[in-house]
Amino acid sequence: MVPSFLLSVLNRLFGNEAWRRLHAQAALWVTLVMTAVLLGGAALVVVAESGAPHANITSFPKGLWWAIETATTVGYGDFYPVTLWGRIIASLLMLSAITAFGVITAALATWFVGRAEQDLARLGKTVGSHAREDAEALRTELHTLHARFDHVENLIRDKGPHSTA
């Protein structure tokens, strides 16, 4: 049975549009699958190593610690498989973890790049809007200056040496 808190969190995540996007879903599914791989790998390595001489992964807690060490490439060396099947399980766990971290990293990078693109688009719209406003203000001021110059030219022409006033 899933705790109601977890259901509430999952409901909020999938209710949010950002989490419905493909990269967010991929990261979530890879995390869930990787959790299952860690648990399964820990259980399988305990079975593979049971009864082997010099085996040091002899219980599920030790197997889980070994699986996490192996998946995160920490590898303290305190636990390691000594049987062929244990080493095959270790290899599969390592490859799965490397793939999972790659997918999660790509999903995060996609999210960051998407956010940056959105910010850049908003900035571009804001700058474009201000540029249009400034250009319109300059046109208006230029038109006003032309009108004043025309008025000054008319005054000079009317008061010049050839005027009849």
Side-chain angles (χ1 to χ4, degrees), residues 48-151:
E49 297 289 298
S50 67
H54 309 296
N56 56 31
I57 306 172
T58 56
S59 68
F60 184 74
K62 288 179 181 180
L64 187 57
W65 177 250
W66 165 82
I68 292 169
E69 281 183 335
T70 302
T72 59
T73 68
V74 171
Y76 292 123
D78 52 351
F79 297 111
Y80 50 90
V82 295
T83 64
L84 174 64
W85 282 109
R87 291 179 179 167
I88 290 171
I89 293 166
S91 298
L92 294 174
L93 181 63
M94 287 182 239
L95 292 173
S96 298
I98 290 167
T99 302
F101 290 133
V103 169
I104 291 170
T105 301
L108 286 172
T110 301
W111 181 77
F112 282 120
V113 168
R115 292 288 304 245
E117 285 177 347
Q118 289 172 355
D119 291 346
L120 190 59
R122 277 194 295 272
L123 180 62
K125 287 179 183 178
T126 301
V127 167
S129 174
H130 286 299
R132 283 187 295 280
E133 290 171 6
D134 289 348
E136 186 57 39
L138 284 172
R139 270 190 229 101
T140 302
E141 191 170 337
L142 186 60
H143 179 56
T144 302
L145 285 173
H146 277 288
R148 284 184 169 177
F149 283 132
D150 289 346
H151 180 69

